[in-house]
Amino acid sequence: DLSLIAPGRPGAKKANENHASRRGFSIYRPGLGRPGTDVAVEVLITSRGTLSQGRHQFTDRGREEELRELLHRRLLVLDGAMGTMLQARDLKAADFGGEALEGCNENLVLTRPDVIQSVHETYFAAGADIIETNTFGAIRHVLAEYGLQDKAREINKKACELGRAAAAKHATKDRPRFVAGSLGPGTKAISVTGGITYDEVLEGYREAAAGLLEGGADLILLETQQDTINIKASINGVHAAFRDA
């Protein structure tokens, strides 16, 4: 149930302009929205600048060109859920760093990196082209619930490095593998729950995306966003990280 819209496909130009921008691609997972509720949205943003229009450019464009070429040729397969895979490992409080941190899956990239990398490798072995980093809640205001807010950038960077290591093990000349830096909606919505400002959301995603880029992310994936104001702040935060890089 995954559709990727890439340049060159019928209707792609209009869809990309409406939903993302010509910097990247959009991922759509049909059926997530329900009548009368907010529609869950995932936005995929490439982590490299464009070649024209005077936008910021990165020096290493090899992997972006591979990704774009593959998107022209076929659908690419994302991995599956991280949470259920971790539950199957029967992890204990000590694995998370103590009872106070039990349930903070994001901290496992620091305390049990072997477990996280093995999950990525399992998905690559099953045929995934792209894995998502274990950073769904690795945003400052979410990590603050565990007192880990000052580790936000470190966690994102480490998570991406683990994904890159897994990708390197499974990539071949004919089948490159990619790492998507994944960031969820957070636990506070500007226009729904309150308790957070636009600027705080923007800076939180800027910090998280900076860590993902440092770790080697091929793209940034904003997952299951529901509040349109949060989406705007998140996207602007990610683009700010691109400019800072």
Side-chain angles (χ1 to χ4, degrees):
D1 294 328
L2 178 66
S3 299
L4 290 141
I5 297 183
R9 302 277 179 164
K13 181 177 179 182
K14 182 177 180 180
N16 284 338
E17 290 175 349
N18 289 342
H19 294 285
S21 82
R22 282 167 288 188
R23 294 174 70 90
F25 304 93
S26 296
I27 283 182
Y28 302 93
R29 281 182 177 159
L32 289 177
R34 296 291 183 272
T37 67
D38 291 329
V39 177
V41 177
E42 296 190 358
V43 181
L44 186 67
I45 308 172
T46 57
S47 64
R48 309 287 187 237
T50 62
L51 286 173
S52 60
Q53 301 179 6
R55 294 174 180 169
H56 185 78
Q57 296 182 30
F58 293 76
T59 56
D60 178 10
R61 297 188 55 82
R63 292 190 61 78
E64 180 192 352
E65 290 173 358
E66 287 183 323
L67 179 57
R68 288 178 180 273
E69 177 62 25
L70 286 171
L71 284 165
H72 278 294
R73 295 180 183 180
R74 62 180 176 85
L75 295 179
L76 300 186
V77 179
L78 277 173
D79 59 2
M82 173 64 74
T84 49
M85 293 289 277
L86 294 178
Q87 288 178 358
R89 302 301 177 98
D90 194 27
L91 300 174
K92 308 301 181 185
D95 294 305
F96 292 89
E99 291 186 5
L101 300 176
E102 187 172 9
C104 183
N105 289 345
E106 293 75 16
N107 199 46
L108 290 170
V109 304
L110 302 180
T111 60
R112 289 299 307 273
D114 57 314
V115 171
I116 301 303
Q117 185 170 329
S118 70
V119 172
H120 293 325
E121 291 187 23
T122 297
Y123 279 121
F124 277 135
D129 297 295
I130 307 169
I131 59 91
E132 303 168 64
T133 54
N134 181 43
T135 50
F136 185 83
I139 306 140
R140 174 169 287 267
H141 72 270
V142 179
L143 292 173
E145 298 173 9
Y146 293 95
L148 297 174
Q149 62 272 20
D150 292 334
K151 289 184 176 291
R153 189 162 181 156
E154 177 186 0
I155 287 173
N156 280 283
K157 180 181 178 181
K158 180 63 175 179
C160 206
E161 290 173 344
L162 295 174
R164 288 249 51 88
K169 283 188 176 183
H170 290 267
T172 66
K173 182 178 179 180
D174 297 325
R175 186 79 182 274
R177 306 301 177 102
F178 303 93
V179 177
S182 171
L183 296 171
T187 53
K188 296 178 181 179
I190 298 168
S191 62
V192 179
T193 65
I196 195 166
T197 68
Y198 180 94
D199 288 342
E200 287 172 336
V201 173
L202 187 154
E203 288 303 320
Y205 282 84
R206 182 179 193 169
E207 177 182 38
L212 293 170
L213 292 176
E214 286 178 357
D218 295 303
L219 48 101
I220 304 295
L221 176 64
L222 299 180
E223 278 200 88
T224 56
Q225 296 275 346
Q226 300 164 325
D227 186 316
T228 54
I229 304 300
N230 275 61
I231 295 171
K232 181 178 180 180
S234 301
I235 291 175
N236 285 338
V238 172
H239 283 307
F242 289 170
R243 291 192 298 270
D244 294 339

